[in-house]
Amino acid sequence: MSMLKSPDQIMMMREAGRVVANALSAVREQAEVGVSLKELDDIAASVISDFGAKPAFKDYHPRWAAVPFPGVICTSVNDAVVHGIPNGYVLEDGDLLSVDCGAFVEGWCGDAAISFVVGIGSPEDKELVEATEAALARGIDAARTGNKMGDLAYAIGGEAKRAGYGLLADHGGHGIGRTMHAEPPVPNLGRPGRGMKLEEGLVIAIEPMLILGGKDDYYHDEDEWTLRSANGRRAAHSEHTVAITADGPIVLTLP
Ligand code: MG
Ligand code: MG
């Protein structure tokens, strides 16, 4: 199947993106001190079900994973960078929570993530979240015909790296469509002018994952899914599904 989508197909992906955005908004509204990750998972599940959509993460079992993913969302707290399991952990004041969500509508997938501080939080964590969101915004702005993948990758991660943040090793964004993870890979760091041409109809998930302290390394938690920063520092993750069109980038994962 071609990587490129027609305008009609992009419209259908927009519906999946809308569901994901609504689920993330609901989770964010309810993510307070004293609420468990499992409760947040239930909230996302009910929003996705209310839309008649299908969760993309639940029971997802890629070859590299030891067990199928047990949740509807990924909930990654503090030093967890991505793929955190929504378990019975109860949120505490100052936790940095990243929530990743995917859903299918009529066989088309949307994928997005947000990070935020629960309660008061530290200025350092808030700046980390802002830097991650800024990296995503720069990436979206570079998702244009006339650019190459290296331009996009450099736009996502270049400034974060210069500012002294780590970028999670071996992980980045991806093509998306009938499956959640499709070609091409969308790296979070690259060299301008290199790589494939960005073409009209390409739909990609752009997802910077920043770590405090400048190191990129991680390890797998014993739950087999959660990736934690090797230096134990906090991490943030922001993601949107974005269509490259003749009129510029269109973010599909908005409410
Ligand atoms: Mg995601
Ligand atoms: Mg993704």
Side-chain angles (χ1 to χ4, degrees):
M1 183 181 171
S2 166
M3 286 195 291
L4 304 179
K5 276 82 180 173
S6 70
D8 283 352
Q9 290 173 328
I10 289 171
M11 287 301 288
M12 289 190 278
M13 293 191 71
R14 173 77 182 97
E15 294 310 310
R18 198 188 309 279
V19 174
V20 169
N22 278 281
L24 286 173
S25 299
V27 167
R28 175 152 199 174
E29 249 171 52
Q30 302 296 323
E32 293 172 359
V33 175
V35 174
S36 76
L37 302 178
K38 179 69 178 81
E39 288 173 277
L40 297 179
D41 195 60
D42 292 342
I43 289 164
S46 74
V47 171
I48 290 171
S49 154
D50 287 349
F51 275 96
K54 184 178 168 297
F57 297 179
K58 182 87 179 166
D59 299 324
Y60 182 57
H61 195 184
R63 201 164 309 177
W64 45 263
V67 292
F69 191 76
V72 165
I73 51 175
C74 296
T75 48
S76 306
V77 181
N78 297 337
D79 63 314
V81 190
V82 287
H83 303 167
I85 291 175
N87 55 25
Y89 177 81
V90 174
L91 290 170
E92 293 178 8
D93 191 29
D95 277 345
L96 198 174
L97 175 63
S98 301
V99 182
D100 196 342
C101 183
F104 284 95
V105 171
E106 313 247 340
W108 294 97
C109 193
D111 184 13
I114 55 173
S115 290
F116 52 93
V117 169
V118 177
I120 305 290
S122 73
E124 184 180 52
D125 287 353
K126 287 177 184 163
E127 280 168 26
L128 170 67
V129 170
E130 282 166 18
T132 308
E133 290 171 350
L136 174 58
R138 280 190 297 271
I140 292 167
D141 192 55
R144 296 174 186 276
T145 56
N147 275 347
K148 292 188 171 174
M149 189 62 80
D151 299 309
L152 172 59
Y154 181 77
I156 298 167
E159 189 147 327
K161 256 300 177 203
R162 278 195 299 279
Y165 293 106
L167 290 167
L168 182 68
D170 315 328
H171 287 77
H174 47 91
I176 180 168
R178 287 288 190 186
T179 57
M180 180 164 56
H181 293 133
E183 292 297 316
V186 180
N188 284 336
L189 204 53
R191 294 170 68 183
R194 302 296 181 95
M196 65 177 274
K197 277 186 183 164
L198 301 183
E199 285 186 76
E200 189 181 333
L202 187 65
V203 182
I204 51 177
I206 301 176
E207 47 182 317
M209 301 158 227
L210 272 58
I211 304 170
L212 286 173
K215 292 284 199 291
D216 306 334
D217 314 321
Y218 63 89
Y219 68 95
H220 280 92
D221 185 280
E222 61 191 18
D223 69 15
E224 310 273 12
W225 270 100
T226 312
L227 301 189
R228 296 187 183 278
S229 65
N231 62 4
R233 303 287 303 276
R234 293 184 168 196
H237 175 211
S238 293
E239 178 179 23
H240 272 306
T241 297
V242 179
I244 296 169
T245 77
D247 303 321
I250 297 178
V251 178
L252 303 181
T253 35
L254 291 174

